[in-house]
Structures are given as structure tokens and as C-alpha cells.
Amino acid sequence: MRNDYDVIVVGAGHAGCEAACAAARLGSCTLLITIDMNKIAQMSCNPAVGGIAKGQIVREIDAMGGQMGIVTDRSSIQFRMLNRSKGPAMWSPRSQSDRQQFILEWRKVLENTPNLYMWQDSVEEFIIESGVVKGVKTALGLTFTAKAVILTAGTFLNGLMHVGQVKTPGGRVAEPPARGITEQLAQLGFIVGRMKTGTPPRLDERTIDFSQCIKQEGEHDFHHFSYLPGITSQLQQRPCWIVHTNEKVHEILHDGLPQSPLYNGQITSIGPRYCPSIETKIVTFADKTSHQLFIEPEGATTHEMYLNGFSSSLPWEVQIEALRQIPALRDVHAFRPGYAIEYDFFSPTQLNHTLESKIVKNLFLAGQVNGTTGYEEAAGQGLIAGINAHQNVTDGEPFTLARNEAYVGVLIDDLVTCGVDEPYRMFTSRAEHRILLRQDDADMRLTEKSYHLGLATQERYDLMCSKREQIEQLIAFSQQFTVKAAAINPMLEANGLQPLTQGQRLHDLLLRPQLGIELLASAIPELRAQLDHLEEARRDEIIEAAEIAIKYKGYIQRETLIADRVARLDNVTLKGKFDYAQIHQISTEARQKLQAIDPETVGQASRIPGVSPSDINILLALLGR
């Protein structure tokens, strides 16, 4: 039993698992400490990964050599690509997972990662000397030393669960909270807040009348999360189901509001705006007579179902009575009620872009302790924290991602620059350059960066290079090949499309929204021959990527120019150059915000709420720019 490590990760949720894997695979001797090794990477709420913008984050994690995409693909029981009716910048992969298989797959990854050790225990105190973290002390009385520590405690810091007026200490149902850490960090000057999240009741599918539900099947095409070929699920694929609340449901919920911790003063912390409880929905949207709910399987073989959209902290009997007013659920049996949970978080403006604390050196924070919500946001932070903990230990260069490089970059920049006043959730609208951050090209954006860092493998890098070469060859062929009108017009007319009056380059023909590479290949033998030479395992992926690059070339080029202009401000260093309290030419609010956050660059300063364009111009003038 060793007691000295390079990196210690506290908490084995989605952030902790990615952090520990990244640090260990880069070469740091890493210890992962968790309260319960049987619940590693537990999906505390919805048993699904991905969704709007979140799916892009998972693709980015995979492109950099993280594990979430691989684990998700291996435990998937349903896959769908959301937002297909919109442009490719909005396409978002989502997978329903088998909750237990997800844990087992992560456990396999962790146990087979060199340099990674695990210990089941609860951390109660950090060892901090002269402003530098040196290790941790645990509930079992052990002391572990380390050169860097990553805190990924999720909802466990002083966690308190609510079902009606019943309050139970815990970080998750049937699991104890973590105590001591918040109090210690608060004494050191960390700004602490409380947040709230919730989960719905779990239902027995044998008591649900599915004839009263709308069936929602998964998709079975080439899309998945990992860019590595051959990563698939062997589990039975299962549908989800849609039901709706009604006025009777709302009436019962409304009558129960005096007993709701959210409305009787029992809970005062901030909940997620974009994932509200059912009682919040009926109050906020009082004019709506119905809300959509999704009944989702918790696994391939279990009878347990998750009722997405019905998060609640009402007394259990109110929850059940309301549910039984829905025709499909009139005889429903619940395995357990929904509950709300309050937990501590730390203001993320106290962090650098590496996720290292500004207050305690070599202490990193990732996940819900930074005020975020969602497995994907946590995992993305964990990956970056794990990388940078290793970099600190080995005196390497900091690894950060810009806003025009990744959704993970947008996420971290939003956190450390703007802070949070509610649980932070990623949306495509948060990324000003989202046409550059599509789910299809995360490997093109990030794999090379990670490969040179040492995290992405040679196999992954070679696959990316091969894919890029094949995409470029297909695009080049489309630019050089001229389609003759006589050859293509019968197919165009058969599909109700305008025929050509003269020959046209294949590239220009593909700009028509109704035409795709596969459809044109059915009428153009030369194009079919090109497709036949593509790598079989990734053929559809390469065709889709090439088609997007051709059809959206103008938008991509324009957005790249805009991003390059904005990035210039991120190349102008600001940190350590001014005492903002003495710059009276800028507004009082700007002075206070700049002093508190101490931005690294002019670009970061420009994104701080309360710092105006005129304030930025003054800073640039003072810098002589």
C-alpha cells in the first residue's frame, strides 16, 4: 500500500473518472478515491449521455482520447441524432445507456489503466502547506500525499436530499455526504454557494400501459460517439415512450405546493433553469395544460423506468397520486420517489482556465463543484483538469482550449470568466462559433492537439489523418469532375428536381440542398468508384463529413475569419500588467470585476459581464495597442 502519488483525484463521478484516466495515461502515478467503488461513474439522474450541445462535448472528449464516448457506445441501448431538421452545427448525438453496464464498462477502463490506483474512502481534509496542496486525509484515518489534487465531489459536499418535509443527509440516494472539505476551503477564502438539482420517481414498467404511450425508437445508422471503429454495444436495443400530463395532474401538484420544499422555504438554493422540477413547470407555465414526459429504460433487462420531465421533491404520495391521473400510468407502481438535493459549490471565477485554483496551488476543481450540471459538462472539465494536473507535476505547458476550438473551451471560459448564478448547462447557443464546433469534426479539431500532448494514441492519430486525407480526396474530386447534363438529368427529373441545361461541376451540384453524395453516386459511375475506394468501416462517416464541408464551405470560411479576428484579443496578455483599482478611466464595475477575476488576456476581459467595449479600448490604449 503506497501513500505517495503524483496526482490524487477525489470523487469517481464522470469528472473524476476522466481526470484520473487522463493523468494516469499521461504518466502520472494517480490515486482515485471514492466513497463506493460499486458506483463509479454512477448516472445519478437520467441514464443517458449526450443531447443538445452535450453530445458535441462527448465527441470532443473522445477526440482527445477521453473515455466517455467509448463507455457510452459499449453500454448503449438506444442511439439517436437530435436536431436533424436543422443544420449540421446543431446535430447532437444522444445515447440511452444501461445504467449498470455503464458502471461496469468504466470500471474495466479504470482497472486496466496503467499508473492508476483506486481506494474506497471519503476525503475529509486537504493537506495544504504555504498555499500549496500536498495531499489528503481520509475518514479511515489515512494520509495520502501528492503533488496535485483534483476535487470532483459532485453533489456530495454537504449534500442534503428532500422528499416533502423529510430531509436526509446524502450526496445521492442511500449514499452519505462528504463533510469537512467545504469548511476548510471556505476558511482559505474560497467563495462557497449552494445549488439544487433533482430527479424523478423510478417506475415499474410492468405497471405501465404502453398502449397509451407514443413509441420512440432509436436509430441504427453509422453514428455513434467514439471515433474509433468497432466500438459497439452488444446489448438489446430498447425504445423510449412519450406521455403527457393533464389538467388533473396539474391540479393535484398545485394542491401539493404548500408541502413542496421548493415553495415552503425549506429549499433556498438555486436550481437548474433548463431542467426544472414538475412543480416549477406548473407555476412558471401556469397557462399550459400539458407537459411532455419521456419514459426511458434504465437498462437492457431491468423493469425500472426513468420518468424524464417529472423531477420532483413533493411528498411521495402526492407524486404517485398525480402520476396516476395519466392514462398510461393509472396503475403505476414506483420503485422510489423523486427527490431534490442541495449541495455546495465553489465560484468558478476563482479558477484559471486550466481549472487550477487561484488560491491554492496544484489544487484543481472539476464538475458540479464548479456550478455545472450534467455528466458531459463534468467529464469535459475532468479531462482538462487531469491533463493540467499532470502538466503541473511534470513542469509541462498548460493545456487549454479556445472558444473557437471546442465546446469544452466555451464551457470553461464561461465558468472562469462569467461565473454562475444557476447550475450551468451547455447549449449550442452559448458557442458563438458553433458552425466550427460540429459533432462530425471534433477529431479534426482536437485529436492532433491531444496526440502531441501524449494523450491521444498513435492509432487514433493515424485514423484521423487517414480520414482527413480521404475527405480531402473526395472534395478534390467533386471540384474537378464535371457532370454531363445528359447523364444526370434523368435522375434529377425522377426526383422532381430542376434538370441541367449544360454540364456542371459535381461540387456545384452538391450545393443543392436536395442532393447528396450517395444520391448522385447512383447516377454517376465515376463518383461511385470514388466511394468504393473509401475505408469500409468509416465510409458513411467520411461521406457525411465531406458533404458538410462542401455544402457549408462559405459559412465555415466566414466564421473562421470572424473567429480569427476575435482570437487576436486572446493573444494580448493582460495578467499581472495592471493594478485595476488604480485605473480610474474605466467604470467602477469594470475595476471591481477585473480586480476579482484578474483575466489572462484582453479577450477574456472583454467577456466579463460589466466590462464594456469602451473599458476594453482604454485597456488596449494603456497597453500601447
Side-chain angles (χ1 to χ4, degrees), residues 105-293:
E105 293 295 340
W106 252 118
R107 183 80 177 253
K108 289 178 192 175
V109 169
L110 295 170
E111 291 183 350
N112 290 283
T113 297
N115 302 316
L116 178 54
Y117 301 84
M118 287 185 282
W119 179 252
Q120 183 167 298
D121 204 344
S122 177
V123 170
E124 294 189 336
E125 182 183 348
F126 294 126
I127 302 168
I128 298 172
E129 299 174 4
S130 303
V132 181
V133 70
K134 298 292 185 178
V136 301
K137 294 181 179 179
T138 76
L140 290 178
L142 282 81
T143 296
F144 296 104
T145 58
K147 299 171 186 174
V149 175
I150 307 172
L151 176 62
T152 67
T155 61
F156 280 76
L157 296 180
N158 293 321
L160 183 64
M161 296 177 289
H162 301 260
V163 180
Q165 296 182 19
V166 178
K167 294 185 285 186
T168 308
R172 191 161 47 213
V173 66
E175 295 182 67
R179 302 193 185 282
I181 291 176
T182 297
E183 293 74 13
Q184 180 187 15
L185 295 185
Q187 288 179 355
L188 292 171
F190 282 78
I191 301 169
V192 182
R194 293 281 278 178
M195 281 188 175
K196 166 259 172 191
T197 189
T199 189
R202 305 307 204 271
L203 310 179
D204 186 338
E205 71 168 332
R206 294 167 295 187
T207 61
I208 299 172
D209 181 0
F210 289 105
S211 68
Q212 303 278 348
C213 305
I214 301 170
K215 194 174 187 179
Q216 187 180 57
E217 294 280 6
E219 299 172 358
H220 304 283
D221 64 7
F222 68 93
H223 289 105
H224 47 90
F225 275 111
S226 181
Y227 286 97
L228 296 177
I231 307 295
T232 59
S233 172
Q234 302 302 314
L235 301 175
Q236 173 190 349
Q237 300 298 289
R238 298 190 62 183
C240 295
W241 306 84
I242 299 173
V243 294
H244 295 83
T245 62
N246 52 49
E247 292 182 358
K248 184 60 178 176
V249 174
H250 295 189
E251 181 183 332
I252 292 171
L253 294 172
H254 194 274
D255 290 344
L257 288 180
Q259 303 175 72
S260 168
L262 294 175
Y263 290 95
N264 64 12
Q266 189 172 312
I267 292 177
T268 57
S269 51
I270 310 159
R273 178 197 304 262
Y274 300 105
C275 189
S277 66
I278 190 66
E279 49 262 49
T280 300
K281 288 180 185 178
I282 66 165
V283 171
T284 306
F285 307 105
D287 57 322
K288 292 198 68 173
T289 58
S290 177
H291 291 285
Q292 184 170 258
L293 308 176

Side-chain angles (χ1 to χ4, degrees), residues 178-434:
R179 302 193 185 282
I181 291 176
T182 297
E183 293 74 13
Q184 180 187 15
L185 295 185
Q187 288 179 355
L188 292 171
F190 282 78
I191 301 169
V192 182
R194 293 281 278 178
M195 281 188 175
K196 166 259 172 191
T197 189
T199 189
R202 305 307 204 271
L203 310 179
D204 186 338
E205 71 168 332
R206 294 167 295 187
T207 61
I208 299 172
D209 181 0
F210 289 105
S211 68
Q212 303 278 348
C213 305
I214 301 170
K215 194 174 187 179
Q216 187 180 57
E217 294 280 6
E219 299 172 358
H220 304 283
D221 64 7
F222 68 93
H223 289 105
H224 47 90
F225 275 111
S226 181
Y227 286 97
L228 296 177
I231 307 295
T232 59
S233 172
Q234 302 302 314
L235 301 175
Q236 173 190 349
Q237 300 298 289
R238 298 190 62 183
C240 295
W241 306 84
I242 299 173
V243 294
H244 295 83
T245 62
N246 52 49
E247 292 182 358
K248 184 60 178 176
V249 174
H250 295 189
E251 181 183 332
I252 292 171
L253 294 172
H254 194 274
D255 290 344
L257 288 180
Q259 303 175 72
S260 168
L262 294 175
Y263 290 95
N264 64 12
Q266 189 172 312
I267 292 177
T268 57
S269 51
I270 310 159
R273 178 197 304 262
Y274 300 105
C275 189
S277 66
I278 190 66
E279 49 262 49
T280 300
K281 288 180 185 178
I282 66 165
V283 171
T284 306
F285 307 105
D287 57 322
K288 292 198 68 173
T289 58
S290 177
H291 291 285
Q292 184 170 258
L293 308 176
F294 295 88
I295 302 175
E296 302 172 340
E298 294 260 337
T301 58
T302 180
H303 292 301
E304 187 175 358
M305 306 294 279
Y306 180 93
L307 189 59
N308 197 343
F310 202 89
S311 172
S312 179
S313 59
L314 283 162
W316 68 267
E317 58 266 39
V318 177
Q319 295 183 37
I320 302 303
E321 184 184 359
L323 287 177
R324 286 181 173 164
Q325 306 309 311
I326 299 172
L329 305 178
R330 61 182 177 273
D331 298 316
V332 76
H333 170 77
F335 286 122
R336 64 177 183 267
Y339 63 89
I341 179 169
E342 293 182 286
Y343 56 93
D344 296 336
F345 80 99
F346 304 98
S347 174
T349 57
Q350 302 166 106
L351 304 175
N352 296 310
H353 278 79
T354 60
L355 296 181
E356 182 183 12
S357 161
K358 295 177 180 178
I359 299 172
V360 178
K361 183 171 176 53
N362 291 336
L363 176 62
F364 294 78
L365 281 72
Q368 285 184 269
V369 293
N370 289 337
T372 63
T373 180
Y375 313 141
E376 303 82 3
E377 290 89 342
Q381 293 173 70
L383 184 70
I384 299 302
I387 290 171
N388 283 299
H390 169 79
Q391 295 296 88
N392 274 24
V393 164
T394 57
D395 296 322
E397 290 294 316
F399 181 83
T400 59
L401 295 170
R403 296 181 69 90
N404 65 337
E405 291 178 315
Y407 271 95
V408 175
V410 174
L411 163 66
I412 293 175
D413 186 61
D414 280 351
L415 293 176
V416 304
T417 302
C418 305
V420 293
D421 55 11
E422 62 185 44
Y424 180 101
R425 178 178 180 178
M426 179 54 73
F427 291 102
T428 51
S429 59
R430 294 191 190 274
E432 58 272 37
H433 307 299
R434 57 184 173 270

Side-chain angles (χ1 to χ4, degrees), residues 86-116:
K86 301 180 181 179
M90 307 293 282
W91 296 355
S92 301
R94 181 185 187 272
S95 178
Q96 200 74 22
S97 287
D98 182 302
R99 184 187 297 276
Q100 295 303 317
Q101 191 65 32
F102 191 88
I103 293 172
L104 292 175
E105 293 295 340
W106 252 118
R107 183 80 177 253
K108 289 178 192 175
V109 169
L110 295 170
E111 291 183 350
N112 290 283
T113 297
N115 302 316
L116 178 54

Side-chain angles (χ1 to χ4, degrees), residues 437-495:
L437 308 181
R438 306 180 312 277
Q439 61 84 30
D440 66 277
D441 75 337
D443 54 344
M444 298 298 160
R445 291 183 275 120
L446 301 171
T447 295
E448 187 168 3
K449 283 177 173 289
S450 183
Y451 171 72
H452 291 309
L453 182 72
L455 184 57
T457 62
Q458 185 71 48
E459 176 197 15
R460 190 179 286 276
Y461 178 70
D462 290 344
L463 284 167
M464 183 276 296
C465 291
S466 171
K467 176 182 169 182
R468 174 180 289 163
E469 181 181 350
Q470 292 176 80
I471 292 170
E472 289 174 350
Q473 288 174 351
L474 195 51
I475 294 172
F477 174 80
S478 75
Q479 292 170 332
Q480 296 162 8
F481 184 78
T482 299
V483 180
K484 294 180 180 178
I488 197 70
N489 281 345
M491 185 275 286
L492 295 177
E493 292 170 344
N495 285 276

